[in-house]
Structures are given as C-alpha cells and as structure tokens.
Amino acid sequence: MTRVIFVESDGSRRVVEARPDDRALDAARNNGIIGIIGECGGELACATCHVWVDPAFADKLPPPGDVEQELLECVFDRKDISRLSCQIRLSEALDGLILHLPPRQI
C-alpha cells in the first residue's frame, strides 16, 4: 500500500492508504477527503481535483501534460506545485506523498 497525506487548508492532516497505480484522486474519494471534488471522475475534463504537491515530492512526479497545464490555468490559487490529482499515479516511490488542498476548487 502507498500512504498519501492530505493536508487541509486549515493545516489538519489525514493519512490514507491506496494501492500502487491508483490515482491520488481515487485515494481521496475512496477515503472521504472532502476538499477534492473530481466532477469529471478523473477524465481530465475539469480541474476540481486541484492539489498542491509538497515540494519534497514535486521532482518525483512526471511533468504535467499539455491538457493538464491548460486546465490548471483555470484554477484558483495556482502555484508552481499545482497538479490535478487525477493525473498523479501512486507508486511505492511516492509512499508518504503529501498533497495540500487549496481552500477552494473551481
């Protein structure tokens, strides 16, 4: 199992476990993380699963693709570490991944 730590906008943390190869979006939805909506179900058609990747993990992820980049241009509070959680595939190398939830989605 791969641990993912979701940090709410108030600083509270929630640790969940997911299977390797799950998406971070799935880990959030399967564990009742409220700050991630994922309206499109992970089809890369919205940006309601926006997260900020902790800088300690940012270099461990592949760069976002063109469509993800375009969708990220629509989110509130975009940062250099912004990603869509539907595009983050979990793996053993990402065990302990820290994802910060922005205070609001689109």
Side-chain angles (χ1 to χ4, degrees):
M1 297 300 274
T2 300
R3 291 174 300 128
V4 182
I5 302 164
F6 292 96
V7 182
E8 307 260 351
S9 59
D10 68 2
S12 61
R13 293 173 171 247
R14 184 132 170 246
V15 180
V16 303
E17 290 192 356
R19 292 181 309 264
D21 206 41
D22 276 355
R23 299 171 301 178
L25 169 65
D26 300 324
R29 293 173 86 188
N30 292 341
N31 289 282
I33 303 296
I34 295 171
I36 295 180
I37 300 167
E39 282 183 3
C40 72
E43 297 298 320
L44 196 56
C46 73
T48 60
C49 65
H50 173 222
V51 294
W52 298 316
V53 177
D54 194 87
F57 289 89
D59 291 340
K60 295 181 180 186
L61 297 176
D66 292 339
V67 175
E68 183 180 2
Q69 286 282 22
E70 288 176 24
L71 289 169
L72 285 169
E73 290 183 22
C74 301
V75 302
F76 291 110
D77 305 315
R78 182 180 180 176
K79 298 181 178 185
D80 290 341
I81 54 175
S82 287
R83 293 298 302 266
L84 299 180
S85 62
C86 68
Q87 297 303 296
I88 300 173
R89 283 279 173 197
L90 302 175
S91 66
E92 291 181 14
L94 292 176
D95 187 44
L97 174 66
I98 301 170
L99 299 174
H100 299 266
L101 305 177
R104 59 186 174 168
Q105 295 287 351
I106 291 178

